[in-house]
């Protein structure tokens, strides 16, 4: 598996925001998959040179808070230090299209996409 960083705008959204469900659907159409939630803490522990101002939203199935609210995770450097934060993970959450996501793509998916040829 490889991690790929892509903005919602790079997925083809031309509005100011897009719903999380729409972003995930478009990513999956393009051969990307959702990462395991464990990617976020592992990345945070390894990505020491993250540029200030970079926020990477993990494309993942939401996890639930103790109140049952869906949350997705973001690995960030907001300038005050390296952080791992949660944000609204509901399907209808509106995400700015400039936001960058990390998705996975297996080698098998990449090979299958190549074998299908351009569309």
């Amino acid at each position: 598996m490889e991690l790929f960083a892509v903005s919602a705008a790079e997925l083809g959204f031309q509005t100011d925001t897009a719903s999380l469900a729409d972003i995930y659907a478009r990513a999956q159409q393009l051969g990307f998959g959702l990462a395991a939630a464990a990617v976020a803490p592992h990345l945070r522990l390894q990505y020491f040179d993250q540029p200030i101002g970079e926020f990477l939203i993990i494309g993942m199935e939401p996890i639930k808070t103790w109140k049952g609210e869906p949350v997705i995770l973001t690995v960030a450097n907001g300038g005050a230090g390296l952080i791992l934060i949660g944000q609204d993970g509901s399907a209808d959450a509106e995400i700015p299209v400039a936001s960058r996501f990390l998705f996975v793509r297996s080698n098998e998916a990449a090979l299958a996409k190549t074998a299908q040829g351009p569309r």
Side-chain angles (χ1 to χ4, degrees):
M1 297 291 245
E2 293 181 69
L3 292 176
F4 287 86
V6 61
S7 71
E10 291 170 326
L11 294 174
F13 292 94
Q14 298 178 357
T15 56
D16 291 337
T17 64
S19 74
L20 187 60
D22 289 345
I23 293 168
Y24 282 5
R26 180 78 50 87
Q28 289 176 331
Q29 288 172 351
L30 296 173
F32 297 106
L34 298 180
V39 166
H42 285 284
L43 183 61
R44 178 65 296 145
L45 291 171
Q46 297 174 26
Y47 191 17
F48 295 117
D49 59 347
Q50 184 174 19
I52 292 174
E54 182 180 69
F55 287 70
L56 297 171
I57 301 169
I58 307 302
M60 58 180 271
E61 284 293 328
I63 54 177
K64 302 272 185 180
T65 66
W66 61 276
K67 289 184 175 182
E69 299 163 345
V71 173
I72 55 175
L73 301 172
T74 300
V75 174
N77 183 348
L82 302 175
I83 57 175
L84 176 62
I85 55 175
Q87 70 180 65
D88 185 0
S90 60
D92 60 351
E94 288 293 316
I95 310 291
V97 298
S99 298
R100 295 186 58 77
F101 284 82
L102 282 182
F103 291 107
V104 297
R105 189 165 187 183
S106 68
N107 292 334
E108 293 81 21
L111 289 174
K113 195 86 165 158
T114 302
Q116 292 174 359
R119 290 186 169 201

